[in-house]
Amino acid sequence: GQSLEQPSEVTAVEGAIVQINCTYQTSGFYGLSWYQQHDGGAPTFLSYNALDGLEETGRFSSFLSRSDSYGYLLLQELQMKDSASYFCAVAYSGNTPLVFGKGTRLSVIA
Amino acid sequence: SAVISQKPSRDICQRGTSLTIQCQVDSQVTMMFWYRQQPGQSLTLIATANQGSEATYESGFVIDKFPISRPNLTFSTLTVSNMSPEDSSIYLCSVPRHAEETQYFGPGTRLLVL
């Protein structure tokens, strides 16, 4: 079946770098997406990897390795406002719904 | 980018009642998706709503409990019927984002059933 695994919680210090991993047991998907969700908010799109390699968007980068069934989200220069839940997700075509991982709750501490 | 609105943004309901959630998109889209997010959990797909056809429900979700309408290409409703406290969740609609194979989400409807 489709399965995306993420750590449930991560804590990091303000200004530091943190990596949130997503390992999966699925195949044939178009790409790996990352979403951020603050408490009480809706998921907001962060990054998407269609191809293997690193995608960089400001302080956020995302990586995909299909051969290793693995991806990660890298957050640099952490800020307190980055405290949120982060979800990896895959889609199997342009018009199919996303399948989400269980999410990682990131806590940024001073 | 698509702009999605949902009504109501939140509600508190009594068990046994029903609530209809509206989702409006600022552009025409073929497919809309409805998700549920229970407290502290990830997003779970309820159904896919295509304009002009019956919604397709995921395992564990049935039309009698979650009837969906899709009257045109910019609008959909999800009804949560005969509610129980276990239905307390955030309900989210989403549409495909074609620049990448991913989705835009609406702001969500926060439902508390007492």
Side-chain angles (χ1 to χ4, degrees):
Chain A
Q2 305 159 358
S3 173
L4 296 95
E5 299 295 327
Q6 303 177 235
S8 58
E9 295 181 353
V10 172
T11 300
V13 177
E14 190 176 17
I17 298 173
V18 70
Q19 178 174 313
I20 299 174
N21 297 326
C22 176
T23 58
Y24 54 86
Q25 296 180 10
T26 185
S27 61
F29 61 88
Y30 269 35
L32 186 70
S33 301
W34 288 92
Y35 283 80
Q36 179 192 61
Q37 186 179 32
H38 286 98
D39 287 346
T44 56
F45 172 76
L46 286 179
S47 188
Y48 175 76
N49 291 76
L51 303 174
D52 283 7
L54 191 68
E55 292 286 338
E56 299 182 75
T57 309
R59 293 189 297 115
F60 296 170
S61 303
S62 59
F63 174 83
L64 175 64
S65 170
R66 291 178 188 268
S67 59
D68 295 324
S69 298
Y70 165 70
Y72 65 73
L73 179 70
L74 190 74
L75 295 84
Q76 304 182 70
E77 303 173 12
L78 279 173
Q79 302 175 10
M80 301 299 285
K81 67 178 182 179
D82 296 329
S83 293
S85 292
Y86 293 84
F87 295 90
C88 60
V90 296
Y92 293 89
S93 77
N95 284 319
T96 58
L98 292 171
V99 175
F100 282 84
K102 295 187 184 303
T104 299
R105 186 166 186 85
L106 171 64
S107 297
V108 180
I109 60 175
Chain B
S1 65
V3 177
I4 306 172
S5 60
Q6 286 186 233
K7 292 181 180 179
S9 59
R10 62 180 66 243
D11 207 343
I12 301 174
C13 300
Q14 297 297 318
R15 71 172 65 212
T17 63
S18 298
L19 176 72
T20 295
I21 301 167
Q22 299 178 8
C23 179
Q24 179 76 52
V25 188
D26 69 344
S27 58
Q28 294 185 336
V29 292
T30 303
M31 309 187 76
M32 296 176 75
F33 308 109
W34 285 98
Y35 289 83
R36 180 177 74 180
Q37 187 176 29
Q38 295 176 302
Q41 303 297 311
S42 185
L43 286 78
T44 301
L45 181 70
I46 297 172
T48 300
N50 294 328
Q51 196 272 332
S53 64
E54 294 290 323
T56 303
Y57 289 83
E58 297 299 302
S59 175
F61 297 96
V62 295
I63 188 172
D64 290 346
K65 174 68 176 176
F66 297 101
I68 288 172
S69 77
R70 184 78 204 276
N72 57 54
L73 291 173
T74 62
F75 187 78
S76 179
T77 68
L78 170 76
T79 299
V80 187
S81 304
N82 188 25
M83 288 183 285
S84 67
E86 292 71 31
D87 294 319
S88 297
S89 296
I90 301 173
Y91 292 86
L92 297 139
C93 65
S94 74
V95 301
R97 174 189 170 111
H98 292 298
E100 299 92 4
E101 304 302 335
T102 185
Q103 292 171 14
Y104 295 105
F105 282 86
T109 296
R110 285 147 190 80
L111 172 62
L112 176 63
V113 183
L114 302 177

